[in-house]
Amino acid sequence: MAVNERIDKQDGLRIVTGSPIYTDDIASPDALVVKIMHSEHHYARIKKIDTQEALKMPGVACILTYKDIAAKPITRAGQTYPEPSPQDWKILDEYVRFKGDDVAIVAADTQRHAVEAMAKIEVEYEVLEPVLDFMEAEGNKAVVHQEEDCFAHFDFGFRPKENVAGSLKVNIGDYEKGLKESDVVITREYRTQATHPAMMEPLTAYTYLDHVGRLVVVASTQVPFHVRRQVATALNIPMHKVRVIKPRIGGGFGCKQTSGAEFYPSLVTLKTGRPAKIYFSRNEVFLAATRRHPFWFELTVGATKDGIIKCFDMKARSDAGAYGEHCWTVLEAGAEKCMALYNKVEGYRYDGKALYTNRVSSGAFRGYGKTQNTFAVECIVNELAEILNIDPVELRNRNIIREGEVLRIGHDHIYDAAVMRQDSCKLDYCLKRGAEMSNWKNSESGKTSSNKAEGTGLALSIQGSGIINLDSGGATLKLNSDGFFTLLIGSADMGTGCDTILAQMAADALEVPYESIVVNSADTDVSPYDDGSYASSTTYVTGTAVVKAAADMIKRLKEEVAKLWKLDLEEISYREGVFTGADNEIDLNHLSYELNSEQISVTRSHKCAKEAPPYKSGFAKVEVDLETGKIKVNEFNAVVDCGTPINPNLATVQTQGGVLQGIGMALFEEINYSQSGDELNDSFMTYKLPCKKEAPKINVEFADSYEPSGPFGAKSIGEVVINAAAPAVIHAIYKATGIWFRELPVTPEKMFKALKLKSNQE
Amino acid sequence: MQISMIINGQEKAFNVEPDEYLSDTLRSAGYKSIKRGCDKSSCGACTVLLEGKPILSCSYLSFRANGKKVTTLEGEREEAIKLGSLIIKEGGDQCGFCTPSLILTTIALKRENANPTEEDIKHYTNGNLCRCTGYVAQLNGIKKYLGVE
């Protein structure tokens, strides 16, 4: 068996020896270096742009401005076509809509020459009044998208003239009835900030023309097939002229689910015929790559005095930034499920809007809206427990969704109860076990010494395992000489190890040793179509395609063996790499040589058809320094229901990484702005990522769970693990100090001020 | 300007610009274990050993290394496999972009401090940022390599 084993990641040895495996490592040394000239203004129209002098500079191969391109609006969001994101972005445009937006593309033989040439480009701007605060964006006289050609594929509330990039209303059950039945009703405002995915490898792409003149794009992307479509559309060339290859990726976390780098070298290669590459500096990643949508929430919850939650009402506003990539689906993801964890309610209401501003675009980031919404929902449930004077673990016990129950979310008018029924839901176990691990009943809270206070807090979370009727994955299996199999997949391993776990599944399903599976991912010329790696879907969706393909492969091989031995199909049996007939036996090795003239390969796809979310409980133990306001997470206990963990090692590390990202969001990470609205902390020197010394002990356990609709009982894990961390930390801070924070992050400065204010009031 | 460095035991000559950084010089020469993560000596991904001590090559001017011994992970293959395998066993390799630099830093720690504590490890490698793992698995692998309980 390979599934549920702690198998080493396939690329591990190449990774740890520092081998050249990432895009920039393998780019041709002859590639032109592409640099982008970024806007100096929040909002402006380019009145005049002069590249004459720049073009005369040494080493310059080409300089492109909006005048050189008849660009069509597209979205860079890596989503299934037709994308539910506004088509509002052009490679180069007359208007620049945020500080850092693209003004010109320069390609030269070296980075030095590109930068020197860029300095010679003269730009005259008509500076326009920007809108920087998303809470003031709707109906503002500063309209971010004035152009007439931006559009939406279908109606998701795209109203650019009012700066509304997308909107969503959800109404489930009878909210008014729930409100009437509530003894206690509380309303709170919450805010979450923009955080950076901060994957270690910046955005990068390398392009060249192949022997027949097709454009080859080698890119660090989570979505190779979407890149193929977007590059072809944006550059106005047929899709069959584009091939996208994904090498190893140095992290993504959603940032590489938006095409940020691919267009620029593609354009240069098409214009010059020469190989080209782009490698964002970290500063440029901060300047121009997408980050988590900041949110404002007004949330109301109603409950009976004995702790039955009856209703939720949520107003949500988010900052889409200058381009609306992912903005509506982030709203939609957030509107779903987070409130539905408490499924005894009479009704939920959600009213969300994503608003355009002259800021860098927000986009996909691990958790995708659920992170922000979970923060608000879990914080208010903890506040409710305090007001009702009911233990927060007990309050949840009375209200949470349990196995066999139906998940009530925005889609329940489309899908029947069978699709929404939770065949695997061990949330109650996650809660119970997390409380045990954290010694919840006896945990210290409040002041523990003259200058220290401690507290333990908790939160729950849920995510998806793919989007129903939309997310699809494919797998091709090919039998090779010597009896080994090639597994071709179109999903993109960002480092999570999905190549490895999909190979584990293939090995088990084919009953062969793990070593007999060779994975190739991803190359749009070779791989079967796959939406890519996002929405936590790879294990669940592409994994199912792998299992289906393996079953088909065995069937196909049995047919071949039956032909070979002139027997009926029913007379052939298969077990662990050996086919057996009445008097014969043949193993895969020998069969592969017998079949060399009949190359056997099968391809199967799977479309997500069931709502099979993973669940998690998170318990944070924090210590607050009452003199300095410094907050330290000492321990975090996470219990995850991801169905069968296909590779427990990789699932554990996924959880630990997600938890620390959540802690970063709770305590450290934020963008600070100057008075003129400029971003101040645009490097790793000033943007505070958690380091080793700030990382707590993160204990991870898995619930004994099996999802019947998933491959080998598996659900997803990638995103659910981040969501509970921030609200659990906030709860723990409250338990330590008696102070509720409703805005992230809680920096030592904010903590210190709050402690001062409290002691002044007392 | 002409400089020479002893890279992984071999003397090599380079023609560098006065404002050229060591990370760029070395990557151009094929030492791809050096990664460029932040360009501001904050993430550690560009770590090399200069005369045996870890430095951040993204902010170290190449000419300063003239005549000095530089070690990249390519020159420590054996130790990299040893420590790397322990990190892999913990599932701590993930995207791997930060792993080569972490391994090189740990090798330097081992040579500098024969009996480090867990706190020593955290302190010495605190500048090697990782966004995937939450550090726990990496630390477990390093502790096994260094024989720290």
Side-chain angles (χ1 to χ4, degrees):
Chain A
M1 284 294 281
V3 162
N4 207 6
E5 291 286 321
R6 296 168 186 273
I7 285 172
D8 295 351
K9 215 151 75 69
Q10 293 194 333
D11 44 358
L13 213 54
R14 296 284 286 166
I15 282 174
V16 298
T17 51
S19 312
I21 51 176
Y22 303 95
T23 300
D24 191 62
D25 299 342
I26 57 176
S28 162
D30 300 329
L32 291 169
V33 177
V34 179
K35 296 297 288 179
I36 300 165
M37 182 176 182
H38 301 282
S39 162
E40 299 162 32
H41 302 285
H42 293 299
Y43 195 13
R45 188 178 69 83
I46 300 168
K47 274 161 71 177
K48 213 177 130 193
I49 185 160
D50 184 352
T51 57
Q52 288 309 309
E53 288 305 307
L55 280 164
K56 291 179 201 153
M57 293 291 286
V60 172
C62 80
I63 298 178
L64 300 162
T65 73
Y66 78 92
K67 290 180 180 171
D68 304 303
I69 297 159
K72 285 195 289 189
I74 64 157
T75 179
R76 296 177 299 177
Q79 299 171 308
T80 303
Y81 183 85
E83 307 96 334
S85 286
Q87 313 290 309
D88 59 2
W89 183 87
K90 293 169 186 165
I91 303 182
L92 290 165
D93 195 4
E94 187 181 354
Y95 285 88
V96 282
R97 297 185 176 82
F98 67 93
K99 208 164 196 168
D101 207 349
D102 310 334
V103 174
I105 299 167
V106 181
D109 56 355
T110 64
Q111 164 137 330
R112 183 178 299 272
H113 284 143
V115 171
E116 283 170 359
M118 194 151 38
K120 298 282 180 189
I121 299 174
E122 283 178 25
V123 191
E124 209 178 297
Y125 294 100
E126 177 195 349
V127 180
L128 304 169
E129 185 67 30
V131 51
L132 299 173
D133 181 350
F134 68 99
M135 295 303 283
E136 292 169 7
E138 190 174 1
N140 198 297
K141 66 178 189 307
V143 177
V144 179
H145 286 277
Q146 309 177 8
E147 74 276 22
E148 293 300 325
D149 57 352
C150 60
F151 68 101
H153 284 309
F154 55 91
D155 182 15
F156 48 80
F158 176 59
R159 300 200 312 278
K161 296 287 184 285
E162 296 162 49
N163 286 329
V164 178
S167 61
L168 175 73
K169 280 194 178 170
V170 177
N171 203 339
I172 296 169
D174 189 343
Y175 173 77
E176 295 298 337
K177 183 167 181 276
L179 196 63
K180 243 179 262 164
E181 290 172 8
S182 300
D183 301 313
V184 175
V185 178
I186 59 171
T187 300
R188 297 284 184 270
E189 273 184 54
Y190 296 96
R191 272 173 184 270
T192 59
Q193 78 281 38
T195 53
H196 277 281
M199 62 289 164
M200 282 296 142
E201 180 200 30
L203 301 183
T204 176
Y206 158 56
T207 52
Y208 59 91
L209 298 179
D210 71 7
H211 62 291
V212 290
R214 289 169 79 223
L215 176 68
V216 182
V217 184
V218 181
S220 183
T221 177
Q222 296 172 227
V223 285
F225 284 92
H226 298 324
V227 169
R228 181 178 68 177
R229 185 183 72 248
Q230 290 168 346
V231 166
T233 312
L235 273 55
N236 204 14
I237 51 175
M239 228 198 286
H240 68 259
K241 291 276 191 193
V242 184
R243 173 185 183 186
V244 178
I245 298 170
K246 172 216 68 76
R248 291 295 85 193
I249 310 181
F253 308 116
C255 195
K256 293 173 184 171
Q257 198 200 331
T258 297
S259 306
E262 292 83 352
F263 303 104
Y264 310 104
S266 295
L267 199 55
V268 168
T269 292
L270 284 189
K271 287 273 176 192
T272 63
R274 295 169 62 182
K277 70 168 187 177
I278 192 164
Y279 190 82
F280 277 44
S281 69
R282 184 56 60 178
N283 177 253
E284 286 176 309
V285 174
F286 276 94
L287 202 62
T290 58
R291 69 274 296 271
R292 189 183 292 288
H293 286 83
F295 262 86
W296 167 89
F297 297 102
E298 188 185 81
L299 178 58
T300 298
V301 62
T304 61
K305 59 181 180 302
D306 54 351
I308 302 301
I309 298 174
K310 287 286 175 183
C311 59
F312 280 104
D313 178 41
M314 183 180 261
K315 279 192 194 64
R317 300 291 179 266
S318 76
D319 186 353
Y323 302 100
E325 290 115 355
H326 299 279
C327 72
W328 183 74
T329 35
V330 160
L331 282 181
E332 196 195 25
E336 281 179 15
K337 294 182 192 154
C338 308
M339 292 183 283
L341 278 178
Y342 305 99
N343 69 337
K344 314 294 180 282
V345 301
E346 291 295 334
Y348 311 100
R349 284 197 318 209
Y350 184 94
D351 164 16
K353 272 182 194 163
L355 302 156
Y356 278 125
T357 60
N358 294 105
R359 291 274 184 221
V360 188
S361 299
S362 304
F365 184 0
R366 193 182 209 167
Y368 205 84
K370 288 194 178 69
T371 312
Q372 295 96 316
N373 281 255
T374 299
F375 173 71
V377 171
E378 289 302 293
C379 281
I380 208 166
V381 169
N382 284 328
E383 292 203 40
L384 178 70
E386 191 61 29
I387 288 165
L388 292 171
N389 197 24
I390 297 174
D391 182 299
V393 171
E394 179 50 31
L395 178 66
R396 286 182 172 81
N397 259 326
R398 292 179 199 175
N399 292 284
I400 53 171
I401 184 164
R402 283 161 201 270
E403 198 157 271
E405 293 179 356
V406 172
L407 186 68
R408 297 168 64 194
I409 62 171
H411 299 310
D412 65 352
H413 58 287
I414 308 174
Y415 301 111
D416 61 22
V419 172
M420 291 293 157
R421 194 184 58 237
Q422 297 303 285
D423 295 326
S424 64
C425 170
K426 299 285 191 286
L427 183 61
D428 49 347
Y429 171 81
C430 295
L431 180 63
K432 181 171 148 274
R433 182 65 195 134
E436 283 167 13
M437 288 164 76
S438 314
N439 195 15
W440 174 259
K441 285 248 161 68
N442 305 309
S443 60
E444 292 245 25
S445 69
K447 220 166 162 179
T448 49
S449 71
S450 63
N451 66 338
K452 291 274 160 65
E454 285 178 19
T456 304
L458 87 125
L460 304 179
S461 68
I462 182 173
Q463 196 76 29
S465 289
I467 306 164
I468 298 189
N469 270 6
L470 196 68
D471 278 341
S472 63
T476 297
L477 278 165
K478 181 160 82 77
L479 176 67
N480 304 292
S481 303
D482 256 11
F484 76 97
F485 293 92
T486 318
L487 172 62
L488 303 165
I489 44 179
S491 59
D493 192 333
M494 289 169 256
T496 57
C498 69
D499 285 359
T500 305
I501 62 146
L502 293 172
Q504 286 178 256
M505 293 190 204
D508 271 18
L510 289 164
E511 301 181 34
V512 298
Y514 170 74
E515 293 71 27
S516 303
I517 310 292
V518 172
V519 179
N520 183 317
S521 81
D523 175 341
T524 55
D525 272 8
V526 177
S527 317
Y529 176 82
D530 194 294
D531 285 342
S533 291
Y534 63 84
S536 293
S537 59
T538 307
T539 302
Y540 183 75
V541 178
T542 309
T544 305
V546 169
V547 170
K548 285 181 176 176
D552 269 14
M553 174 56 88
I554 293 171
K555 190 166 159 275
R556 274 291 287 119
L557 292 176
K558 273 186 178 172
E559 285 167 6
E560 293 299 323
V561 173
K563 253 195 273 174
L564 210 62
W565 292 338
K566 298 188 174 50
L567 293 173
D568 289 336
L569 189 61
E570 295 72 39
E571 294 174 82
I572 313 295
S573 65
Y574 174 76
R575 202 161 169 254
E576 294 180 4
V578 180
F579 294 85
T580 313
D583 311 306
N584 309 51
E585 222 179 59
I586 188 166
D587 62 17
L588 281 166
N589 178 11
H590 290 92
L591 181 64
S592 65
Y593 288 102
E594 290 282 352
L595 295 179
N596 265 350
S597 57
E598 186 67 40
Q599 183 68 65
I600 307 293
S601 78
V602 299
T603 299
R604 286 298 300 270
S605 292
H606 178 68
K607 191 177 246 189
C608 186
K610 179 89 169 62
E611 195 62 59
Y615 295 91
K616 182 197 141 192
S617 74
F619 286 75
K621 282 180 182 291
V622 308
E623 181 186 282
V624 179
D625 186 319
L626 300 170
E627 285 172 349
T628 63
K630 193 177 173 193
I631 304 160
K632 193 165 185 291
V633 181
N634 283 328
E635 188 182 309
F636 198 99
N637 293 301
V639 186
V640 185
D641 166 10
C642 60
T644 305
I646 301 297
N647 186 320
N649 259 0
L650 298 177
T652 301
V653 178
Q654 279 268 288
T655 308
Q656 290 164 334
V659 165
L660 191 62
Q661 275 181 354
I663 291 172
M665 186 179 175
L667 299 179
F668 310 113
E669 299 179 35
E670 69 177 327
I671 314 274
N672 305 119
Y673 299 102
S674 72
Q675 282 197 326
S676 56
D678 293 357
E679 293 190 6
L680 291 172
N681 46 346
D682 52 5
S683 76
F684 279 169
M685 211 173 249
T686 46
Y687 182 84
K688 185 77 184 78
L689 288 181
C691 307
K692 274 192 201 66
K693 284 187 179 179
E694 288 137 354
K697 200 173 157 198
I698 305 169
N699 304 309
V700 179
E701 287 191 14
F702 298 100
D704 183 12
S705 172
Y706 187 93
E707 169 55 43
S709 70
F712 297 95
K715 298 191 279 189
S716 86
I717 187 154
E719 293 181 282
V720 73
V721 292
I722 191 173
N723 297 339
V729 169
I730 294 301
H731 188 211
I733 292 171
Y734 168 77
K735 295 286 280 294
T737 63
I739 300 168
W740 286 117
F741 285 89
R742 301 188 181 98
E743 253 186 71
L744 295 178
V746 187
T747 57
E749 188 187 359
K750 286 185 198 164
M751 186 76 236
F752 180 78
K753 281 181 181 167
L755 287 166
K756 270 272 184 224
L757 196 68
K758 187 167 174 254
S759 77
N760 287 346
Q761 284 167 350
E762 277 169 0
Chain B
M1 58 203 294
Q2 286 291 331
I3 63 164
S4 75
M5 294 181 266
I6 301 137
I7 303 175
N8 302 330
Q10 277 193 318
E11 184 161 359
K12 294 206 166 172
F14 296 90
N15 188 9
V16 300
E17 297 286 338
D19 60 350
E20 188 172 319
Y21 288 113
L22 188 56
S23 54
D24 293 328
T25 309
L26 292 175
R27 272 188 68 84
S28 303
Y31 300 97
K32 305 288 189 187
S33 70
I34 300 159
K35 307 300 178 195
R36 289 178 301 188
C38 76
D39 339 294
K40 288 256 190 322
S41 51
S42 303
C43 76
C46 63
T47 303
V48 299
L49 306 185
L50 191 83
E51 302 288 334
K53 299 269 187 204
I55 60 148
L56 299 164
S57 63
C58 77
S59 48
Y60 191 91
L61 291 169
S62 301
F63 78 84
R64 291 179 65 199
N66 188 21
K68 297 203 166 116
K69 276 189 218 158
V70 175
T71 310
T72 70
L73 195 65
E74 283 87 350
E76 294 284 358
R77 196 172 158 79
E78 208 175 300
E79 290 299 298
I81 291 173
K82 227 186 268 176
L83 168 55
S85 301
L86 293 167
I87 291 175
I88 293 169
K89 274 275 164 284
E90 299 286 331
D93 40 347
Q94 291 288 295
C95 94
F97 205 71
C98 71
T99 319
S101 66
L102 176 72
I103 287 176
L104 197 56
T105 309
T106 308
I107 291 169
L109 165 65
K110 189 186 178 186
R111 287 172 191 161
E112 210 173 293
N113 182 347
N115 294 303
T117 62
E118 184 172 329
E119 280 315 300
D120 292 337
I121 300 170
K122 282 188 184 172
H123 183 74
Y124 202 94
T125 61
N126 200 41
N128 292 88
L129 292 181
C130 169
R131 191 59 159 167
C132 296
T133 64
Y135 302 112
V136 185
Q138 290 183 343
L139 201 62
N140 289 344
I142 293 174
K143 279 161 69 180
K144 282 187 183 145
Y145 172 71
L146 296 173
V148 179
E149 286 304 306

